């Protein structure tokens, strides 16, 4: 159970991570220990932003439910990377289970911004079918006899003139 959000794209780093930096980061992410992540970040969640195999970008690890993803990216870029003199820039696209839960996340010089999609829910009526039109006409005739008598009277007068 839970809510699924998926991500694509990457955040590029101004330099490659050292093996020591990558180890420190990946131990925190691979541990699936939300208590350890909270202790390090102040955010109770699993860290699913990980370095790429080339050690030059940030991507989503593709695992399970990912909560507080913006806050964790803000911590990662605004604190962890910044403390190491690394500048992050790039775009990620996200899509949740709900249609309106999509958009992009941009990182510019370690500043993270979320840009929800501008897709609006458009209200659309139900298409009319021949069968439904016949049902509606029958309902109108049986429920509103006076309305149809008036319409018949108007038609008869128009034909007589």
């Amino acid at each position: 159970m839970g809510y699924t959000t998926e991500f694509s794209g990457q955040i590029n780093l101004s330099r490659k991570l050292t093996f020591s930096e990558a180890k420190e980061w990946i131990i925190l992410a691979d541990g699936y220990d939300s208590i350890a992540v909270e202790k390090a970040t102040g955010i109770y969640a699993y860290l699913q932003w990980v370095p790429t195999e080339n050690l030059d970008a940030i991507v989503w690890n593709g695992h399970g439910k990912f909560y507080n993803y913006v806050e964790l990216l803000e911590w990662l870029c605004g604190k962890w990377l910044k403390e190491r003199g690394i500048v992050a820039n790039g775009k990620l696209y996200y899509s949740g289970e709900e249609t309106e839960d999509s958009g992009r996340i941009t990182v510019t010089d370690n500043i993270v911004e979320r840009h929800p999609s501008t897709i609006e829910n458009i209200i659309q009526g139900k298409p009319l079918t021949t069968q439904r039109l016949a049902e509606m006409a029958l309902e109108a005739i049986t429920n509103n006899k006076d309305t149809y008598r008036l319409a018949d009277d108007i038609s008869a007068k128009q034909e007589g003139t």
Side-chain angles (χ1 to χ4, degrees):
M1 290 248 153
Y3 188 84
T4 300
T5 305
E6 296 187 345
F7 303 86
S8 61
Q10 68 180 33
I11 305 300
N12 297 312
L13 305 178
S14 59
R15 68 165 175 82
K16 286 187 174 191
L17 296 171
T18 65
F19 286 117
S20 176
E21 291 167 337
K23 179 183 175 187
E24 181 183 341
W25 181 348
I26 207 70
I27 285 173
L28 188 59
D30 270 356
Y32 286 100
D33 183 354
S34 54
I35 302 292
V37 173
E38 182 179 28
K39 187 176 178 184
T41 68
I43 303 162
Y44 184 77
Y46 298 121
L47 179 59
Q48 296 182 43
W49 297 125
V50 296
T52 59
E53 290 181 354
N54 292 335
L55 305 177
D56 62 354
I58 301 169
V59 294
W60 173 50
N61 67 6
H63 297 168
K65 314 298 181 199
F66 192 4
Y67 303 103
N68 300 314
Y69 50 86
V70 172
E71 293 84 356
L72 286 167
L73 192 58
E74 288 172 335
W75 172 82
L76 196 55
C77 294
K79 183 169 175 36
W80 198 87
L81 292 170
K82 194 173 187 178
E83 287 175 355
R84 289 152 182 82
I86 300 172
V87 179
N89 289 288
K91 290 181 191 172
L92 297 162
Y93 296 91
Y94 66 93
S95 179
E97 293 176 11
E98 302 293 327
T99 305
E100 63 276 356
D101 183 19
S102 63
R104 65 185 160 83
I105 300 167
T106 58
V107 178
T108 306
D109 296 332
N110 290 18
I111 299 188
V112 178
E113 291 183 291
R114 181 175 180 221
H115 308 276
S117 183
T118 56
I119 297 172
E120 297 178 17
N121 287 334
I122 298 170
I123 298 172
Q124 178 177 324
K126 191 172 180 180
L128 181 64
T129 64
T130 309
Q131 181 179 347
R132 181 62 187 135
L133 180 60
E135 290 169 356
M136 290 167 53
L138 183 58
E139 287 171 14
I141 291 169
T142 55
N143 295 331
N144 299 312
K145 292 180 182 176
D146 292 335
T147 302
Y148 281 94
R149 284 189 188 143
L150 178 60
D152 289 339
D153 290 345
I154 293 169
S155 293
K157 285 182 183 177
Q158 286 177 347
E159 289 175 9
T161 44

